[in-house]
Amino acid sequence: MGGLIYNELLVITGRWRSYIGFIGISILMPLILWGFNLGGGSINSEYTSQLGGSFIMVGSVFNSLLATYIIMNAFWIHIPFLVTLAAGDSVAADGANGVFRITLIRSTSRLKILVSKLLASYICTASLLIFCAFWSLGIGSIVLGTGDLIVIDNGILILEQGEAWLRMILGFSLAILVMCMVATLCFMFSAMVDNSVGPIVGTMFLIIIGYLVIAIPLDFFDKIEPYIFVHYFDVWLDAFKDPIPWESIGKKTSILVIHSAAFFVIAARVFIQKDIKS
Amino acid sequence: MILQTNNLTKSFGSRKAVDGLNLEIPEGAVYGFLGPNGSGKSTTIRMMTALISPDEGEVFIQGKSVQSLGNDALGQVGALIEKSDFYKHLSGTTNIEMLARMDGTDFSRVQFVLERTGLANRGKDKVKTYSQGMKQRLGIAQALLSKPKLLILDEPTNGLDPQGMKEVRDLIGELSSEGIAIFISSHLLDEVQKMCSHVAMISLGKLITNGKVNDILTNAGFVMIEVLVDQLEKAQDLLKSLEWIGHVDIIDEALRVSLEKDRISGLVQFLVQNELKVSAVIPRTSLEDLYLSMVGRERII
C-alpha cells in the first residue's frame, strides 16, 4: 500500500494545479499578515474597548494566535475549494486521460488503488492546512509576535500562551478531519465521473447549500440541520472553549467520520463496478 | 489453453456488443482477432482484462476466472489497450517504475523493458515529449513488465508510421519466438496473416470463424485466383455474366477472380471454350479476401 500511495503522491506533486492551494495561501497569507501588522492596532482597540471595563489591559492583545483564530474563521468557506482541487482530480483525471487502461489491468485490485488515491488526497489535504498553519502561526509569530489568546465567543476566554498553542494544534487537527471529509465527498464524485470539474462543482454546491440551510433562520431548516454534514464543520471551534467539550467533539467527529466512510463505500462500489470504456 | 472465453456476452443499452463469444487461445500461439469497427473487439479485450464486466459468461486465464478472481487472475498478463496513455507530466521511466511498484516487480526490470523497446535513452524525458510511436512502444514496455505469459494487444500499430509498424511487428515476432502467447486485434490483415498462427473473426459481436490460419484458408468455401489470360477485358465481361463467379477485377495485367473452390477447372474450361488463351492460374487467397467475404456476408445477413 505504501508503494501505491507513493505513486499517487508522485502524480499529484507532478501536476502544477496541485499547487494552486499552496500558491494561493502563499500569496494571501503575507497580505493578510501585512494587513494585520498595519491594522492590528484597530483590532487591539476594539478588544480593549470591549474588555477595558472589566480588565486592565497591558500591552497588545493582538498577536499571531489571535490572527490565526480570525483567519481560520474567515477561511472556513474557502479552504474546502482548495481541498477539492486535488481530490477532484484523483480518480476522474485518470479516467479522462485513459491511464486506467494501463493501471487497472494489473494484478492490483481496484479497491487497493482507490484506497491509495484517497489516502494520498488526505495527505494533500493535511499538507494544505499545515501549510496554512505554518504561515499564520509560524511566519505570523515572527511578524506579529505571540502572547495569550483572547477568544470572544459566548463569553471571554483568555488562554495562556502555552495552552493556546495546544488549542491551536487541536483546532488544526479537527480542521484537518473536517477537510478530509470534504476531500472524501469530492473523491466520491470523482469516482463517479470522468472529468475533474464535476466533482469540484458538486462538492462546493453541497457545501454552499449546507451553509445556506444553516444560515437561514427557518423552522424547517432548523429541524434538518442536524442531518446536514456541514452543520458539524465548526467542530474546530470547540478547541477554543473552556472546558474543552470532549463529548461534543467526539460526537461531531464521529458523525464526520461516518459520513466519510459512507462516501468512500459509495465511491468504492461505483468504482469497482465501473466499466472502463474510455 | 492460456486464455478461454465462455459464452461472453455484453450489452450497452439495447445494443449487444458481444454475443455469446467462445474463444480458445493455445499456449504460445499468436492469435489474430479480426473484425470491423464496432464489431465488439475492444469490448471483448476489455472484458479479458477486467476493465469491463460481462453480462454473461466468463474469461479464464490459465484456468483462473477473471470475473471471480478479478485482477488476481491477471498476474501473468501484459496488455496494451488501444493507444497507450500515461501520466504525461512524468517521465517514461517514472511511469514504468510506478507500474513496477504496483506489480511488485523488481526495478531492474524497468530498464530491461525500456531497452527492449528502444526507449532507454529517452526514459528520463517526460511522456508529453514522446511521439505517438514512442508512446506505443512505452505501452508495450509496460505490458512486458511483469514477464507475461500472455500479451493482449489491441490495435498496437494504430497511429504508427510504416517504420513504427515494422518495429512493433518485429518486436511481436521476437516475443512470440520466446514462447509468449500473443492475442492481437488489428485491422492490418496482411500483417495478421504474416504474424499469426491462429485467427478469430467477429462481426456484430458474434464469432464468424476461428482456428489456425492455414486451416481457415484451406477450408474456406471460396478461393481467390489470379488468371493470366490474353484478352483481359473480354474475359472480364464474360466471367461477369456467370452466376457462380464472385468478383472479377483486372489488377496488374491479370484477372483477380473469386469463386467457389471446386469451380476452378470449370472457369478455365469456360475461358478456353470462348477462344481465350489461359497461360496460368495462381491461387491468391488471403486472409483479407476471406475476411472481406465473411464479414461482408455477415453484414448483409
Side-chain angles (χ1 to χ4, degrees), chain B residues 283-300:
Chain B
R284 292 280 188 215
T285 312
S286 67
L287 203 54
E288 185 171 343
D289 299 321
L290 186 66
Y291 170 84
L292 291 173
S293 155
M294 298 188 103
V295 170
R297 199 165 63 214
E298 277 290 314
R299 280 193 157 172
I300 291 162

Side-chain angles (χ1 to χ4, degrees), chain B residues 41-91:
Chain B
K41 296 194 302 295
S42 286
T43 303
T44 302
I45 285 178
R46 282 165 193 253
M47 286 192 279
M48 287 173 174
T49 49
L51 288 176
I52 289 181
S53 305
D55 297 333
E56 285 177 51
E58 268 184 297
V59 176
F60 293 93
I61 294 175
Q62 293 184 301
K64 292 177 185 172
S65 166
V66 173
Q67 281 61 50
S68 302
L69 295 172
N71 293 61
D72 284 344
L74 300 174
Q76 291 196 300
V77 178
L80 172 60
I81 315 292
E82 294 178 12
K83 69 185 172 75
S84 49
D85 285 308
F86 290 87
Y87 293 109
K88 295 177 183 67
H89 60 288
L90 301 177
S91 72

Side-chain angles (χ1 to χ4, degrees), chain B residues 93 135-136 142 228 294 298:
Chain B
T93 303
K135 283 183 197 164
Q136 209 67 349
Q142 64 78 27
L228 302 183
M294 298 188 103
E298 277 290 314

Side-chain angles (χ1 to χ4, degrees), chain A residues 15-37:
Chain A
R15 284 187 186 128
W16 81 266
R17 62 177 172 273
S18 304
Y19 299 98
I20 290 175
F22 293 91
I23 294 167
I25 287 169
S26 299
I27 294 169
L28 273 175
M29 292 302 280
L31 285 174
I32 292 168
L33 291 175
W34 180 60
F36 276 156
N37 198 23

Side-chain angles (χ1 to χ4, degrees), chain A residues 5-79:
Chain A
I5 295 170
Y6 181 72
N7 276 355
E8 292 305 325
L9 291 175
L10 273 178
V11 173
I12 293 169
T13 53
R15 284 187 186 128
W16 81 266
R17 62 177 172 273
S18 304
Y19 299 98
I20 290 175
F22 293 91
I23 294 167
I25 287 169
S26 299
I27 294 169
L28 273 175
M29 292 302 280
L31 285 174
I32 292 168
L33 291 175
W34 180 60
F36 276 156
N37 198 23
L38 289 178
S42 63
I43 297 172
N44 191 49
S45 305
E46 193 181 318
Y47 267 67
T48 308
S49 67
Q50 286 186 45
L51 303 173
S54 312
F55 297 90
I56 298 165
M57 309 296 292
V58 180
S60 171
V61 297
F62 191 73
N63 54 43
S64 64
L65 292 165
L66 182 57
T68 302
Y69 183 77
I70 293 168
I71 289 167
M72 282 180 86
N73 268 294
F75 268 24
W76 207 228
I77 298 171
H78 312 98
I79 291 286

Side-chain angles (χ1 to χ4, degrees), chain A residues 120-174:
Chain A
S121 296
Y122 284 174
I123 290 170
C124 287
T125 302
S127 303
L128 192 69
L129 285 162
I130 290 167
F131 188 67
C132 203
F134 163 77
W135 267 104
S136 60
L137 289 172
I139 307 296
S141 292
I142 297 167
V143 177
L144 303 170
T146 57
D148 295 344
L149 172 63
I150 298 179
V151 177
I152 301 174
D153 190 14
N154 293 326
I156 301 158
L157 176 64
I158 303 170
L159 295 167
E160 182 266 331
Q161 186 178 336
E163 175 70 10
W165 277 95
L166 291 175
R167 298 294 186 103
M168 280 291 168
I169 291 170
L170 178 62
F172 269 99
S173 301
L174 292 169

Side-chain angles (χ1 to χ4, degrees), chain B residues 20-281:
Chain B
L21 193 65
N22 294 303
L23 293 174
E24 289 189 338
I25 288 88
E27 303 252 358
V30 181
Y31 203 104
F33 192 43
L34 307 175
N37 288 336
S39 60
K41 296 194 302 295
S42 286
T43 303
T44 302
I45 285 178
R46 282 165 193 253
M47 286 192 279
M48 287 173 174
T49 49
L51 288 176
I52 289 181
S53 305
D55 297 333
E56 285 177 51
E58 268 184 297
V59 176
F60 293 93
I61 294 175
Q62 293 184 301
K64 292 177 185 172
S65 166
V66 173
Q67 281 61 50
S68 302
L69 295 172
N71 293 61
D72 284 344
L74 300 174
Q76 291 196 300
V77 178
L80 172 60
I81 315 292
E82 294 178 12
K83 69 185 172 75
S84 49
D85 285 308
F86 290 87
Y87 293 109
K88 295 177 183 67
H89 60 288
L90 301 177
S91 72
T93 303
T94 304
N95 269 285
I96 300 295
E97 281 175 354
M98 286 169 64
L99 298 172
R101 220 171 271 124
M102 286 180 80
D103 292 347
T105 306
D106 194 278
F107 268 31
S108 61
R109 183 86 185 152
V110 173
Q111 196 55 30
F112 171 78
V113 295
L114 288 173
E115 280 171 11
R116 187 74 200 266
T117 49
L119 288 170
N121 60 341
R122 291 292 306 271
K124 299 289 176 201
D125 296 340
K126 288 186 176 179
V127 171
K128 65 183 172 191
T129 66
Y130 285 15
S131 67
Q132 189 56 41
M134 288 170 69
K135 283 183 197 164
Q136 209 67 349
R137 276 189 278 156
L138 192 63
I140 294 176
Q142 64 78 27
L144 295 174
L145 198 57
S146 59
K147 295 184 184 170
K149 286 191 172 173
L150 170 65
L151 204 53
I152 297 174
L153 304 172
D154 187 11
E155 307 282 0
T157 54
N158 255 9
L160 299 185
D161 58 20
Q163 177 63 24
M165 281 184 190
K166 187 182 178 309
E167 284 171 8
V168 170
R169 195 175 62 228
D170 290 347
L171 187 60
I172 289 169
E174 284 172 30
L175 296 169
S176 166
S177 67
E178 290 170 18
I180 297 173
I182 299 171
F183 184 84
I184 178 169
S185 86
S186 176
H187 284 119
L188 302 172
L189 301 171
D190 184 44
E191 300 222 340
V192 168
Q193 189 171 354
K194 280 179 196 161
M195 285 190 293
C196 298
S197 56
H198 295 69
V199 72
M201 293 183 191
I202 66 166
S203 180
L204 302 173
K206 287 183 178 173
L207 185 68
I208 301 171
T209 186
N210 69 330
K212 288 184 177 173
V213 174
N214 287 339
D215 291 349
I216 288 176
L217 291 176
T218 307
N219 299 331
F222 81 102
V223 286
M224 181 69 76
I225 55 170
E226 194 171 290
V227 184
L228 302 183
V229 64
D230 60 344
Q231 298 175 61
L232 286 171
E233 282 80 11
K234 182 183 174 188
Q236 186 183 26
D237 291 341
L238 284 167
L239 291 176
K240 274 184 176 172
S241 63
L242 297 176
E243 280 182 5
W244 43 273
I245 295 290
H247 299 281
V248 190
D249 297 305
I250 299 172
I251 299 170
D252 295 336
E253 301 298 313
L255 281 181
R256 290 295 284 275
V257 185
S258 71
L259 73 169
E260 288 175 19
K261 207 166 163 183
D262 53 3
R263 297 274 195 175
I264 296 174
S265 58
L267 175 130
V268 175
Q269 197 178 357
F270 174 78
L271 292 173
V272 172
Q273 280 171 356
N274 284 280
E275 298 174 348
L276 292 163
K277 288 178 185 170
V278 178
S279 52
V281 176

